[in-house]
Amino acid sequence: MKFPTQLFINGQRRKASDGRTIPVINPATEETLCEVAAATVDDVAAAVQGAQKAFESGWRDLPPGKRADILFQIVRVLREHQEELAQLESLSIGKPIADARDEIGAGIKTFEYYAGAISKFYGQVIPVSRGGFDYTLRVPMGVVAAIVPWNFPFPIATWKVAPALAAGNTVVLKPARQSPLTALRLGELAVEAGLPPGVLQVLSGSGQEMGDALVLDPLVRKISFTGSTSVGSRIMQLAARDIKRVSLELGGKSPNIIFADSDLEKAATGSPMSVFANTGQDCCARSRVFVERKVFDQVVELFVAATHKLVVDDPAKTETQIGPMVSRGQRESVEEYLGTVRTAPHMTLYGGGRPDRKGYYLNPAVVLGCEPSDRVWCEEIFGPVACFRPFDTEEEMLAEVNASPYGLSGSLWTNDLKRALRVARRVESGVMSVNCHNSLHLEAPFGGFKQSGMGRDLGMQAMEGCTELKNIYIAD
């Protein structure tokens, strides 16, 4: 299979200015797939300057209908290459191929949604008291820096790129070091579909110096970042110098709350994949499981039985549900967390070991006996670890749920409608699901409270976040 290995700047493939490369490792085999260009500070400057030129020379002023036509053409070309993109995603990060196909399809639908949204994105006419004609416009910002993580590389890239382009901005896309392939291919395919050169630039590479250069470049007007809370905090600090606009989707430690009156079979057997999918490498993972005490043992038994049935195997197989972790270092980090719960009162009820095979695999783990102060309970593990605690009262449970510094997502299981409304409102998170684990809807905003971030991806709110609100008044 041919891999995209060069930077994509101004519609052309380029080597890094100093010739450096970094390896892309297949987590399922521990072997190097390819070497990709590692962008330098000079490459960052060239990409940003090219994006600014493309913005000023026509993209911002392109009639909305023509901009929509180009985005719809991108959708068409991406669909023609859907299987290629899925294979690239699966090979580079160990994602099960069935999941990769679903996620590439979801990313393509994101472009389709924002292509259609262009004709439905408008301002207001305001009847001001002094008369005259007052109206608002949503105007593009300019160059948007989109920095995306390795756990869901293609869909999250489209969450940032598609609304920014639809709103009339240009974009410099920075994929994670581990997962640059689909982002580089996206840049190539977008230009093939008719996107003007420079409107979407793609920079592979790693290193704080490169990231800082992108955030600090005076031509970059907004940074849209998904990743760790620590890096998000640094981006906020750097962006403050020039008062840049920032949207951040950061870490999570999401709760899964199961009341005794819920459909216990559905709640317990449907919950393992809410934390173990993508090998637990998901900021929305429901890794803190709160179960009403009277049904605690029953729910744990059902949960463990369902976990035992999960297929941990080669990501190339369509039946695989859980593949390897993204890297040796990520697996070792999770094992360090598990090492803190090997003694009483904790109990690793199931899993947590390495399968006897090559690759960065780790069996899902179920942990009981956690206290609120335990690292496995309060810190984001970013691996396949589910921790359980019983609760007696709603107030007690809510206090523990909201004690977390994070507030991204969560699930609530109950057949009491009043309780569902009351608890869902009081949980401090940006997204809540009742009697399911559906965090994401293309048409609805997604983002977190507290240290889980600020701003929103998806929905029309993502387009709003890529624009400035301008007011114009015309006197009588």
Side-chain angles (χ1 to χ4, degrees), residues 437-448:
H437 297 296
N438 300 325
S439 293
L440 298 172
H441 308 276
L442 175 54
E443 306 84 359
F446 173 77

Side-chain angles (χ1 to χ4, degrees), residues 55 59-61 67 121-124 135-144 163-170 221-222 245 462-472:
F55 177 71
W59 184 250
R60 69 178 171 190
D61 299 317
R67 200 159 60 239
F121 189 62
Y122 36 77
Q124 294 177 295
Y135 66 102
T136 63
L137 296 174
R138 285 282 181 180
V139 298
M141 294 177 172
V143 180
V144 174
L165 296 183
N169 302 283
T170 55
R221 295 294 182 85
K222 176 182 177 174
R245 278 44 175 164
M463 275 188 78
E464 291 176 1
C466 294
T467 60
E468 297 282 14
L469 183 62
K470 184 170 190 171
N471 180 256
I472 299 174

Side-chain angles (χ1 to χ4, degrees), residues 434-456:
V434 178
N435 294 333
C436 66
H437 297 296
N438 300 325
S439 293
L440 298 172
H441 308 276
L442 175 54
E443 306 84 359
F446 173 77
F449 291 3
K450 302 187 286 188
Q451 291 185 28
S452 287
M454 57 192 295
R456 293 296 181 266

Side-chain angles (χ1 to χ4, degrees), residues 386-399:
C387 299
F388 279 73
R389 271 180 65 78
F391 69 88
D392 294 301
T393 69
E394 184 178 306
E395 289 299 320
E396 163 206 329
M397 176 271 297
L398 282 168

Side-chain angles (χ1 to χ4, degrees), residues 76-138:
R76 179 187 62 79
V77 172
L78 290 177
R79 285 210 168 105
E80 292 172 355
H81 293 267
Q82 187 165 347
E83 182 61 21
E84 172 198 350
L85 291 165
Q87 293 293 337
L88 289 174
E89 202 87 311
S90 180
L91 287 168
S92 61
I93 58 171
K95 190 178 290 289
I97 187 61
D99 291 348
R101 288 171 178 147
D102 287 344
E103 290 172 21
I104 299 300
I108 294 170
K109 288 180 180 177
T110 302
F111 264 96
E112 189 171 48
Y113 174 84
Y114 287 108
I118 292 172
S119 62
K120 304 165 187 68
F121 189 62
Y122 36 77
Q124 294 177 295
V125 174
I126 302 172
V128 294
S129 59
R130 68 177 62 198
F133 185 71
D134 191 281
Y135 66 102
T136 63
L137 296 174
R138 285 282 181 180

Side-chain angles (χ1 to χ4, degrees), residues 13 145 194 276 333 428:
R13 302 180 186 93
F276 300 140
S333 173
E428 295 172 353

Side-chain angles (χ1 to χ4, degrees), residues 310-325:
L310 297 177
V311 180
V312 181
D313 205 348
D314 183 348
K317 297 180 179 179
T318 55
E319 65 270 21
T320 296
Q321 294 172 280
I322 299 175
M325 304 203 71

Side-chain angles (χ1 to χ4, degrees), residues 255-468:
N256 184 14
I257 304 162
I258 302 175
F259 283 95
D261 72 325
S262 64
D263 182 336
L264 298 182
E265 180 80 21
K266 184 178 179 182
T269 60
S271 287
M273 286 300 281
S274 77
V275 58
F276 300 140
N278 209 44
T279 325
Q281 299 164 132
D282 181 359
C283 50
C284 288
R286 275 70 165 169
S287 55
R288 292 186 299 157
V289 188
F290 296 82
V291 184
E292 197 165 1
R293 191 179 299 275
K294 67 179 75 173
V295 294
F296 184 82
D297 292 342
Q298 180 183 353
V299 168
V300 169
E301 182 180 356
L302 289 167
F303 186 99
V304 170
T307 300
H308 183 72
K309 296 176 183 177
L310 297 177
V311 180
V312 181
D313 205 348
D314 183 348
K317 297 180 179 179
T318 55
E319 65 270 21
T320 296
Q321 294 172 280
I322 299 175
M325 304 203 71
V326 73
S327 67
R328 183 189 309 276
Q330 189 63 29
R331 180 173 66 177
E332 290 174 350
S333 173
V334 176
E335 288 174 330
E336 181 185 351
Y337 277 103
L338 288 171
T340 68
V341 292
R342 297 300 190 192
T343 57
H346 309 102
M347 180 170 62
T348 304
L349 192 63
Y350 178 84
R354 296 183 182 185
D356 185 17
R357 62 184 303 158
K358 197 170 187 179
Y360 307 128
Y361 292 89
L362 188 66
N363 289 321
V366 179
V367 179
L368 306 184
C370 293
E371 295 296 327
S373 60
D374 290 338
R375 290 181 61 208
V376 291
W377 182 257
C378 60
E379 296 180 16
E380 184 176 36
I381 298 174
F382 227 61
V385 181
C387 299
F388 279 73
R389 271 180 65 78
F391 69 88
D392 294 301
T393 69
E394 184 178 306
E395 289 299 320
E396 163 206 329
M397 176 271 297
L398 282 168
E400 285 197 14
V401 167
N402 292 333
S404 173
Y406 299 108
L408 183 58
S409 187
S411 293
L412 161 64
W413 297 82
T414 179
N415 285 324
D416 183 330
L417 179 58
K418 288 184 178 180
R419 174 186 283 154
L421 293 171
R422 181 176 64 246
V423 175
R425 184 177 64 250
R426 290 188 59 190
V427 172
E428 295 172 353
S429 69
V431 179
M432 278 296 291
S433 306
V434 178
N435 294 333
C436 66
H437 297 296
N438 300 325
S439 293
L440 298 172
H441 308 276
L442 175 54
E443 306 84 359
F446 173 77
F449 291 3
K450 302 187 286 188
Q451 291 185 28
S452 287
M454 57 192 295
R456 293 296 181 266
D457 287 318
L458 301 176
M460 295 301 283
Q461 288 81 2
M463 275 188 78
E464 291 176 1
C466 294
T467 60
E468 297 282 14

